[in-house]
Amino acid sequence: MLAKRIIPCLDVRDGKVVKGVNFEGIREVGDPVECAAEYNKQGADEIVFYDITASHEGRGVMLDVVRETAKRVFVPLTVGGGIKTVDDIRETLRAGADKVSVNSQAVKNPQLIKDGADIFGSQCICVGIDAKKTPAGNWTVYINGGRIDMQLDLLDWVRQIEQLGAGEICLNSIDTDGVKGGFDLPMLKAVVDAVSIPVIASGGAGKLGDFAEAFEKTDCSAALAASLFHFRELTVQQVKDDCRSKGIIVR
Amino acid sequence: MIAIVDYGAGNIFSVKNALDYLGMESKLTDNPAELEAADEVILPGVGAFPAAMKMLEAKGLATVLKEQAQKKPLLGICLGMQMLLEKSYEFEECAGLGLIPGTVERMDAPGLIIPHMGWNKLEMGIPCPLLRNLPAESYVYFVHSYAARNCENALAAWVEYGGKVPAMVYDGGHVFGAQFHPEKSGEVGLQILRNFGGLV
């Protein structure tokens, strides 16, 4: 049986780790390679780099970060942010990433998911989603770091993603991101129930029990957090110990 | 020196990175003479079985690998492990290197998510030198949709995923195959690679 995964995410801008709160007021802290090595030591099951530079020069810096990390960290690496073309996917994988996460560009051009999956395999293609609840009670998909509402129904989108060949979904809730009140369980459950590919919960982890709660109340495969780990409020190991004590299978 | 067979498939740099990190000398090569000169050989692989076998054959590496497997340790990883077996049914029936008895078939069970992707716990089978000095609970990282079958006599480790999925096969001599990625399996994976390096 597969272990539930605990995934620290490093938001990187111009080669430095930052962490935003609700995508605003970004604070800068630390060297991504060192951070990744530390998370590896703590038992992270996977490490995500999210490049928020998204400029052309920034991409080169990000690839250097991936190359250096891949020399020291021997768990899967995922890289997201600013990936727009099949060539971007190819050079990111060549730099040492195991998966790429496509977000805004996948909404603008869903064919990117299919092309990426056909060429590199579904296992390489994670689709990142930022979504927010509407007054009507459903959720819609946002792009450009949560700034633009695409008026695209979340559940329609995740079903489409699966059909296009995505290997995994990383689901971030704009409502809970940075708030530290726990993952957005209703949204998470709706998505997990709508697709049969693995779903990573993202946005909102604020305390130890939030991770186990996501695994107990939904069938999500993994849970991701950034600032919580980054500001050392919790270690990956503490989270895993808590999950294990509650009978959840973790590595 | 460990020769990492570079036949044009998959991300082989991560294997090289792991060996470099462990201080084990290695070289990416598609040159038969270098495989003959190496102390050990690693056959990595990501992709489809028939295409990978064709690439091995086109470079004259299939014959060399079969010969060298009689003389020195050979470790196949992921698709590289599958190619050690007799034949695969991925897309079409296709002969493998035949170094380990068994076949490769699509994983299938009701409700099973394919690919089998993530960390799974090794259960031990026949004694295997690559699995020495591991923690009692050892998780390793898998990404695959096809799995070895009919290889019970060579089964050194398996994991539970809709049934028993072979994780490591071993012929009792020089030939080892890991369905998982030791180069992506944290400290457990590094120990397995260390054990491989320690065979010579």
Side-chain angles (χ1 to χ4, degrees):
Chain A
M1 216 176 133
L2 290 176
K4 299 291 185 183
R5 289 170 283 152
I6 305 297
I7 306 176
C9 174
L10 293 157
D11 292 348
V12 180
R13 187 178 57 190
D14 301 323
K16 290 266 169 55
V17 181
V18 296
K19 175 57 201 170
V21 178
N22 273 345
F23 292 116
E24 286 168 23
I26 288 168
R27 295 186 266 179
E28 190 174 298
V29 247
D31 171 13
V33 182
E34 292 299 328
C35 290
E38 168 60 23
Y39 288 151
N40 181 44
K41 238 184 261 169
Q42 292 179 12
D45 294 309
E46 201 168 311
I47 290 162
V48 174
F49 286 124
Y50 203 80
D51 184 9
I52 57 174
T53 324
S55 68
H56 186 68
E57 302 73 40
R59 275 203 59 73
V61 174
M62 190 68 227
L63 294 177
D64 288 340
V65 166
V66 175
R67 265 181 222 109
E68 287 310 307
T69 306
K71 290 177 188 169
R72 291 178 54 188
V73 171
F74 300 100
V75 297
L77 298 177
T78 302
V79 177
I83 290 170
K84 294 189 171 67
T85 63
V86 162
D87 283 339
D88 291 341
I89 298 176
R90 181 178 291 114
E91 66 175 5
T92 306
L93 296 176
R94 282 218 181 131
D98 298 281
K99 306 179 198 179
V100 296
S101 182
V102 289
N103 190 323
S104 298
Q105 193 62 26
V107 178
K108 294 180 201 161
N109 173 25
Q111 184 67 23
L112 180 62
I113 300 171
K114 180 159 175 29
D115 291 345
D118 285 349
I119 297 169
F120 307 106
S122 288
Q123 80 285 346
C124 296
I125 310 296
C126 175
V127 177
I129 304 173
D130 294 310
K132 190 171 165 45
K133 197 166 187 174
T134 70
N138 66 326
W139 299 271
T140 54
V141 176
Y142 284 64
I143 63 165
N144 291 15
R147 287 191 288 269
I148 303 171
D149 182 358
M150 296 302 282
Q151 311 276 326
L152 170 63
D153 181 77
L154 173 64
L155 300 184
D156 288 345
W157 176 231
V158 296
R159 290 189 191 102
Q160 193 188 344
I161 285 169
E162 181 174 31
Q163 279 194 336
L164 289 167
E168 191 164 64
I169 289 168
C170 183
L171 180 66
N172 185 53
S173 168
I174 296 171
D175 293 314
T176 61
D177 188 45
V179 178
K180 300 198 164 201
F183 292 102
D184 189 337
L185 299 177
M187 181 170 92
L188 184 58
K189 185 167 178 1
V191 169
V192 169
D193 290 347
V195 295
S196 63
I197 54 178
V199 179
I200 303 170
S202 165
K207 59 180 189 302
L208 194 56
D210 289 343
F211 295 86
E213 190 185 29
F215 296 131
E216 281 167 340
K217 296 194 175 160
T218 80
D219 286 328
C220 68
S221 301
L224 174 148
S227 63
L228 194 63
F229 294 131
H230 190 66
F231 295 114
R232 297 170 203 263
E233 290 163 51
L234 288 176
T235 66
V236 174
Q237 199 54 53
Q238 285 173 314
V239 169
K240 289 188 157 187
D241 288 345
D242 180 64
C243 288
R244 205 174 282 116
S245 76
K246 293 169 178 166
I248 296 159
I249 295 175
V250 288
R251 175 172 74 105
Chain B
M1 199 268 291
I2 298 176
I4 303 170
V5 185
D6 179 7
Y7 55 97
N11 177 9
I12 49 179
F13 298 106
S14 53
V15 175
K16 173 89 175 115
N17 279 338
L19 297 181
D20 287 350
Y21 179 80
L22 293 170
M24 290 158 60
E25 199 192 337
S26 66
K27 189 170 189 184
L28 300 172
T29 179
D30 64 351
N31 180 345
E34 287 186 329
L35 297 190
E36 284 164 17
D39 301 309
E40 302 184 277
V41 177
I42 291 181
L43 177 63
V46 174
F49 192 107
M53 277 306 296
K54 280 195 192 92
M55 283 192 271
L56 279 186
E57 278 156 10
K59 289 176 181 281
L61 295 171
T63 314
V64 180
L65 283 168
K66 285 188 223 181
E67 285 165 9
Q68 296 304 307
Q70 310 307 318
K71 300 175 188 165
K72 63 187 63 159
L74 166 65
L75 170 61
I77 296 175
C78 198
L79 179 62
M81 171 256 203
Q82 297 179 355
M83 288 196 289
L84 302 176
L85 299 166
E86 291 162 309
K87 61 181 165 182
S88 162
Y89 296 94
E90 183 170 353
F91 301 128
E92 61 199 31
E93 187 174 325
C94 178
L97 295 170
L99 294 167
I100 301 236
T103 57
V104 181
E105 294 169 37
R106 182 152 178 100
M107 299 175 75
D108 198 12
L112 198 66
I113 295 174
I114 304 292
H116 172 221
M117 179 168 72
W119 297 85
N120 210 328
K121 191 173 74 170
L122 292 176
E123 307 288 345
M124 300 304 174
I126 61 168
C128 173
L130 296 202
L131 300 175
R132 286 178 193 152
N133 303 319
L134 298 185
E137 287 215 340
S138 287
Y139 283 84
V140 289
Y141 189 77
F142 291 84
V143 183
H144 64 122
S145 304
Y146 285 76
R149 293 284 177 252
N150 309 307
C151 55
E152 284 71 16
N153 293 336
L155 199 56
W158 73 89
V159 296
E160 187 61 39
Y161 193 69
K164 222 173 178 180
V165 176
M168 180 161 274
V169 291
Y170 174 43
D171 74 344
H174 291 302
V175 183
F176 304 85
Q179 178 62 72
F180 54 90
H181 289 273
E183 76 281 12
K184 287 286 164 185
S185 293
E187 191 46 48
V188 168
L190 294 178
Q191 183 59 43
I192 289 168
L193 291 174
R194 251 182 232 119
N195 290 342
F196 182 68
L199 293 173
V200 292

